[in-house]
């Protein structure tokens, strides 16, 4: 049966945009300070989940909410199950926005809002793709399970809980609309490891506090430090900071309250899988401060952050540089920095995206050789490298549909980012960003091109139908 999927999506453009706006207006950042038994990641992700599942119920699906961790609805019949994995949580909005991040705005054909491209926009595009198939009553021989999570950006505890408590087996094959076209059939491994420091000082320069970064998988946009000095005046520090800022094209702010000096440095956020695309405000601030004679653990903290980790996107200074011919190079994002002189345990979180040939244990062993940290610990959330060859029928089908819809040549891609596509042995990421698209995920002023979302929805519709007809 020949179907013009682009025309079918065009008929539903207004409804699709209205549903997307309803999700984008929800601040679904994880907030552990408000988490409880009914709100495992805070109230925002729950509101987004409830809103999405209410959409499904409105459209005639039977949905399931798995204790506010994740949810799903199903369509079709058959022994085989196609899984579509999306997420409704978002990274913190941060600063630097020209619009309210939770009041979607369309300007020059671009939809600005946190989650517009990661991942609410693609999620709704994929939802409307399946909606077309359902409303047209197209014949299918497989089941679709559309699964949405609420903790993809932090630790995937949503999917851990979902598969333990939903009572359903994993889908046989599937994709996640959370990356790029033509396809993402390989993803690097992903692990966060932590360098620990005490809160001691040991000279006339005293570091009272240092904070930078919102999430491990984001390049810290800004950082703030409070310190004092008996040997250098405020005016001298101000002059040196101005010179440092000019040399590195940075925004800074300096103030004094009694004997304490507060300095803030602003860089540029980016996705943690591409630390070289951002300007790490925390390592730049540590680089500036490490010129002074801070001692003890404070000195070690600033030296590691400002001299060892600063601009070392590939772990070269700490002996971790490695590149695989297919998956590319290991990358390192120093994502979160916390130091307080009153704390017994301070830390720097390092998020690694690593290819085949590297292990989390190998990274850990190398980090323990660093001079300065008093301990190294490893996150329990480890994702090994994932790869599905181009010869796999799933990859072949998705690339064929992409080529038909766009007229562009499809090809395999491997990224440093991690998507729910890797939850399945036979799983990939598919769209919704098109080639040469400006990637604003995890950045201020995140946007999605509205027409591209409609284009993606048509591709998803045909792809889903080809996979289940």
């Amino acid at each position: 049966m020949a179907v013009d999927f682009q025309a079918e999506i065009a008929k539903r453009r207004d409804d699709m945009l209205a549903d997307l706006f309803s999700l984008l207006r929800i601040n679904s950042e994880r907030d552990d300070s408000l988490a409880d038994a009914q709100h495992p990641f805070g109230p925002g992700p729950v509101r987004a989940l409830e809103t999405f599942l209410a959409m499904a119920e409105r459209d005639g699906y039977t949905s399931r909410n798995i204790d506010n961790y994740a949810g799903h609805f199903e369509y079709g019949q058959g022994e085989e199950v196609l899984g579509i994995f999306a997420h409704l949580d978002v990274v913190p909005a941060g600063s630097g926005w020209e619009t309210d991040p939770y009041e979607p705005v369309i300007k020059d054909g671009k939809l600005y809002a946190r989650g517009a491209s990661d991942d609410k926009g693609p999620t709704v595009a994929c939802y409307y793709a399946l909606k077309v198939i359902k409303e047209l009553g197209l014949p299918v021989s497989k089941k679709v399970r559309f699964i949405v999570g609420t903790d993809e950006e932090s630790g995937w505890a949503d999917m851990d809980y979902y598969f333990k408590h939903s009572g359903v087996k994993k889908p046989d094959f599937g994709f996640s609309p959370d990356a790029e076209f033509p396809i993402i059939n390989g993803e690097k491994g992903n692990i966060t490891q932590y360098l620990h420091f005490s809160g001691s000082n040991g000279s006339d320069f005293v570091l009272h506090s240092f904070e930078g970064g919102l999430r491990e998988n984001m390049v810290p946009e800004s950082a703030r430090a409070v310190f004092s000095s008996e040997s250098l005046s405020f005016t001298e520090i101000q002059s040196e900071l101005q010179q440092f800022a000019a040399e590195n094209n940075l925004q800074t702010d300096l103030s004094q309250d009694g004997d304490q000096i507060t300095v803030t440095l602003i860089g540029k956020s980016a996705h943690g899988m591409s630390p070289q695309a951002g300007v790490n405000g925390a390592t730049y601030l540590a680089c500036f401060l490490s010129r002074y004679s801070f001692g003890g653990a404070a000195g070690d903290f600033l030296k590691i952050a400002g001299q060892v980790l600063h601009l070392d996107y590939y772990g070269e200074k700490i002996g971790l540089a490695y590149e695989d011919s297919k998956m590319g190079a290991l990358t390192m994002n120093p994502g979160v920095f916390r130091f307080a002189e009153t704390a017994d345990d301070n830390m720097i979180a390092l998020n690694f995206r690593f290819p085949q040939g590297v292990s989390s244990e190998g990274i850990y062993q190398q980090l323990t050789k660093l001079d300065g940290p008093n301990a190294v610990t490893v996150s329990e959330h480890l994702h090994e490298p994932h790869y599905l060859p181009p010869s796999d029928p799933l990859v072949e089908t998705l690339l064929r549909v992409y080529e038909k819809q766009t007229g562009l040549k499809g090809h395999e891609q491997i990224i440093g980012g991690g998507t729910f596509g890797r939850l399945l042995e036979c799983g990939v990421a598919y769209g919704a960003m098109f080639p040469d698209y400006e990637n604003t995920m995890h950045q201020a002023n995140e946007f999605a091109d509205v027409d591209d979302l409609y284009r993606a929805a048509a591709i998803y519709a045909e792809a889903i139908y080809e996979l289940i007809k």
Side-chain angles (χ1 to χ4, degrees):
M1 179 179 179
V3 179
D4 186 339
F5 288 104
Q6 294 181 14
E8 293 297 331
I9 291 297
K11 297 176 185 177
R12 299 163 173 81
R13 287 168 67 110
D14 292 344
D15 290 342
M16 176 176 154
L17 205 59
D19 281 339
L20 176 54
F21 270 48
S22 69
L23 287 172
L24 292 174
R25 289 192 173 106
I26 299 170
N27 179 342
S28 52
E29 300 173 14
R30 177 170 175 161
D31 188 347
D32 290 339
S33 69
L34 298 176
D36 56 32
Q38 287 72 43
H39 307 89
F41 312 115
V46 174
R47 286 198 300 272
L49 177 62
E50 290 174 340
T51 299
F52 182 84
L53 295 179
M55 285 167 41
E57 293 284 343
R58 175 201 68 196
D59 291 333
Y61 302 105
T62 300
S63 68
R64 287 188 61 197
N65 183 334
I66 312 300
D67 300 329
N68 287 335
Y69 280 81
H72 77 236
F73 67 86
E74 295 180 334
Y75 174 73
Q77 299 293 329
E79 293 297 319
E80 286 188 273
V81 178
L82 164 66
I84 298 174
F85 290 87
H87 69 91
L88 300 169
D89 59 308
V90 295
V91 296
S95 59
W97 284 76
E98 297 175 4
T99 62
D100 183 339
Y102 293 108
E103 183 51 50
V105 174
I106 296 177
K107 297 190 300 182
D108 300 323
K110 297 175 180 178
L111 172 57
Y112 291 87
R114 177 57 91 213
S117 62
D118 185 17
D119 182 40
K120 294 175 182 178
T123 298
V124 172
C126 209
Y127 177 87
Y128 267 77
L130 184 59
K131 184 178 170 74
V132 166
I133 295 170
K134 177 179 182 294
E135 291 181 349
L136 293 180
L138 300 180
V140 301
S141 62
K142 300 179 180 67
K143 182 182 292 185
V144 178
R145 183 175 301 131
F146 201 122
I147 304 163
V148 286
T150 59
D151 188 44
E152 194 271 352
E153 297 291 6
S154 297
W156 294 26
D158 53 349
M159 289 296 106
D160 292 340
Y161 190 94
Y162 174 83
F163 284 117
K164 288 179 182 177
H165 296 88
S166 65
V168 297
K169 70 180 183 70
K170 282 190 175 184
D172 299 283
F173 60 103
F175 68 88
S176 175
D178 189 23
E180 306 169 15
F181 289 121
I183 201 167
I184 303 297
N185 59 309
E187 299 180 9
K188 294 179 184 177
N190 186 340
I191 189 64
T192 297
Q193 305 202 12
Y194 306 90
L195 308 180
H196 296 269
F197 305 80
S198 73
S200 67
N201 280 274
S203 78
D204 62 313
F205 276 88
V206 176
L207 183 64
H208 302 292
S209 66
F210 187 109
E211 293 185 354
L214 298 171
R215 287 284 191 276
E216 297 159 1
N217 60 352
M218 299 173 68
V219 175
E221 176 190 54
S222 62
R224 178 177 176 270
V226 180
F227 67 99
S228 56
S229 169
E230 297 177 2
S231 60
L232 209 59
S233 70
F234 177 82
T235 303
E236 290 172 305
I237 294 172
Q238 185 177 47
S239 175
E240 294 187 3
L241 179 62
Q242 288 173 344
Q243 181 179 351
F244 180 81
E247 291 172 350
N248 294 284
N249 194 29
L250 300 167
Q251 298 180 50
T252 61
D253 181 72
L254 190 70
S255 62
Q256 186 174 27
D257 183 10
D259 65 344
Q260 293 194 355
I261 297 171
T262 299
V263 58
T264 301
L265 189 149
I266 301 174
K268 177 187 175 185
S269 184
H271 198 299
M273 70 175 178
S274 304
Q276 67 277 16
V279 178
N280 194 314
T283 64
Y284 267 101
L285 178 55
C287 179
F288 171 72
L289 293 176
S290 65
R291 67 179 62 191
Y292 302 122
S293 57
F294 289 91
D300 293 334
F301 180 93
L302 293 173
K303 180 181 178 181
I304 291 291
Q307 297 180 21
V308 178
L309 302 178
H310 182 52
L311 301 180
D312 188 17
Y313 309 120
Y314 305 104
E316 296 170 334
K317 298 176 188 175
I318 52 181
L320 286 171
Y322 182 86
E323 185 166 358
D324 172 72
S325 59
K326 182 173 289 291
M327 286 195 156
L330 172 147
T331 61
M332 176 182 70
N333 178 54
V336 179
F337 298 75
R338 297 288 182 265
F339 183 93
E341 63 176 330
T342 57
D344 294 328
D345 185 27
N346 299 292
M347 69 87 184
I348 300 173
L350 304 176
N351 182 239
F352 293 92
R353 310 297 173 108
F354 58 95
Q356 296 166 329
V358 177
S359 68
S360 176
E361 176 63 21
I363 294 171
Y364 169 80
Q365 292 297 335
Q366 199 64 28
L367 291 180
T368 60
K369 299 177 183 179
L370 286 173
D371 184 21
N374 57 29
V376 179
T377 59
V378 182
S379 168
E380 62 183 20
H381 303 295
L382 167 64
H383 298 294
E384 298 287 359
H386 172 76
Y387 180 70
L388 195 65
S391 58
D392 186 273
L394 173 64
V395 178
E396 290 182 335
T397 299
L398 295 178
L399 286 178
R400 184 175 68 251
V401 171
Y402 170 81
E403 291 177 346
K404 176 185 174 183
Q405 287 265 353
T406 66
L408 301 173
K409 179 64 177 175
H411 56 86
E412 71 169 340
Q413 291 187 107
I414 297 168
I415 61 170
T419 76
F420 281 163
R422 74 196 307 156
L423 288 166
L424 304 178
E425 183 176 342
C426 185
V428 298
Y430 190 52
M433 291 196 305
F434 287 89
D436 300 322
Y437 187 83
E438 182 181 353
N439 185 352
T440 54
M441 291 183 180
H442 295 203
Q443 300 179 34
N445 303 309
E446 175 184 347
F447 70 83
D449 185 285
V450 177
D451 285 339
D452 279 354
L453 287 177
Y454 298 138
R455 292 171 63 201
I459 293 173
Y460 288 140
E462 183 161 0
I464 293 170
Y465 184 53
E466 287 296 315
L467 291 169
I468 67 172
K469 69 179 183 181

